Amino acid sequence: MLIASYNKAQIGDILIVMLHEDAPSQTVEKKDSIVEISDSSNGTKLGYNFLGVGEKLGLTEAGQVKLSNEQVNLLNGMLQKAGFEAILEIDETPKFVVGLVEEMTEHPDSDHLHITKTNIGSETLQIVCGAPNIAQNQLVVVARVGAMMPNGEVIWPGKLRGVESDGMICSARELHLPNAPKKRGILVLPAGKFHQGQPFSID
């Protein structure tokens, strides 16, 4: 997994690369213009901060950065030159996809959460959803693990009230779609226009 973001106006000329979610205890090591963040308990590399690379990578806009193979190779070269391991791999799997809610059950420890089995074409995900309009056989937009939402939130594997949830079923408002309704509820897609497994563009 590789998630990259850049916002020069807010934090300066720094490319943030995330590989795993944060750990309770972290080790930070800086070499040259690169900061490596690791899980102190097991050494897992959580991510990197690349300082002063905006011009070199041609970064101009703020937000998530879809890195090309060429850009990833350049970053790996920088890691090696600084004395770090070159472990970055491009991730081209679509993170926002159309899913079909195949099953839905009540959460055992909540009066409003539901446990869904949502088929996204390549696999079926267990996703806990609290939207009041969630129902079986709906086509919905799924933010997979590794997705960055328009507000900057990253979707990681998690648990809701003790039940594992691998992704998020999204509302139009969470996707920052034009004319999104203000009331709570997920976005339900028309069956004739969309099909499960289809990438969903939020750009």
Side-chain angles (χ1 to χ4, degrees), residues 157-174:
K159 288 186 177 181
L160 287 174
R161 297 280 185 93
V163 175
E164 291 186 4
S165 183
D166 292 316
M168 184 172 78
I169 297 175
C170 304
S171 70
R173 186 169 50 177
E174 289 166 331

Side-chain angles (χ1 to χ4, degrees), residues 75-104:
L75 293 174
N76 275 325
M78 294 176 63
L79 287 171
Q80 283 185 315
K81 185 177 179 181
F84 290 121
E85 194 177 352
I87 61 170
L88 302 184
E89 294 182 3
I90 196 166
D91 182 1
E92 295 181 321
T93 57
K95 298 306 179 187
F96 294 92
V97 295
V98 177
L100 174 66
V101 181
E102 294 185 328
E103 298 178 25
M104 193 178 78

Side-chain angles (χ1 to χ4, degrees), residues 121-156:
S122 58
E123 59 182 319
T124 298
L125 303 174
Q126 177 171 288
I127 302 176
V128 179
C129 180
N133 64 327
I134 185 75
Q136 196 169 336
N137 297 321
Q138 287 175 333
L139 284 175
V140 297
V141 179
V142 174
R144 302 176 66 183
V145 168
M148 178 178 282
M149 302 298 293
N151 67 358
E153 176 189 0
V154 176
I155 305 300
W156 301 108

Side-chain angles (χ1 to χ4, degrees), residues 60-82:
T60 55
E61 297 185 8
Q64 184 172 11
V65 178
K66 306 285 179 65
L67 294 172
S68 66
N69 276 305
E70 184 180 358
Q71 289 171 318
V72 169
N73 289 338
L74 180 62
L75 293 174
N76 275 325
M78 294 176 63
L79 287 171
Q80 283 185 315
K81 185 177 179 181

Side-chain angles (χ1 to χ4, degrees), residues 11 15 22 28 32 38 43 59 70 73 83-85 111 129 132 171 178 183 188 200:
I11 63 172
L15 177 70
D22 286 342
V28 177
D32 295 342
S38 305
L59 305 178
E70 184 180 358
N73 289 338
F84 290 121
E85 194 177 352
D111 59 0
C129 180
S171 70
K183 64 179 182 180
V188 180
F200 187 90

